[in-house]
Amino acid sequence: EKSSPLIALLNPQWRNVDDALDVASKSDSLFGQFASFLGGKGSSLRRLDALGYRSTYTLEGYVCKGGNIRLIKRFDSDWIVFAENDKGDEYV
């Protein structure tokens, strides 16, 4: 049995919302290829999908009303949420 290749995706800095380049780069057209060249993430997402990429560990961070929020997901679990208390000295 042939094993699948190891794919490591570290800190891709992708936003959760697609901008115009991201939307255009999802097309296979010449314009889509140009949008990918300029920074759209569409071609990268297609390549990852073709390789069977699956997230095994995800850590996301957000700021809400000045407080840090961390979301953690492992491949075999649900999302875990950590939010700073009002003092900012520990998570609840």
Side-chain angles (χ1 to χ4, degrees):
E1 176 179 326
K2 184 179 177 182
S3 64
S4 57
L6 174 65
I7 303 168
L9 181 62
L10 306 173
N11 201 16
Q13 296 292 317
W14 289 333
R15 296 181 307 164
N16 289 337
V17 178
D18 289 349
D19 62 16
L21 285 177
D22 294 331
V23 171
S25 68
K26 291 179 181 177
S27 166
D28 285 329
S29 67
L30 180 62
F31 182 66
Q33 293 172 1
F34 185 63
S36 289
F37 173 76
L38 292 176
K41 63 185 177 189
S43 66
S44 297
L45 293 175
R46 275 195 305 277
R47 284 195 310 258
L48 289 170
D49 189 46
L51 291 170
Y53 175 78
R54 185 174 64 127
S55 293
T56 56
Y57 182 82
T58 303
L59 171 63
E60 295 186 11
Y62 300 93
V63 176
C64 181
K65 294 185 178 183
N68 290 315
I69 298 174
R70 301 290 182 250
L71 304 170
I72 299 174
K73 171 118 174 66
R74 218 173 57 183
F75 71 97
D76 61 348
S77 69
D78 291 328
W79 286 95
I80 301 170
V81 179
F82 296 92
E84 271 184 344
N85 65 5
D86 289 337
K87 292 181 185 177
D89 59 356
E90 59 184 39
Y91 284 91
V92 293

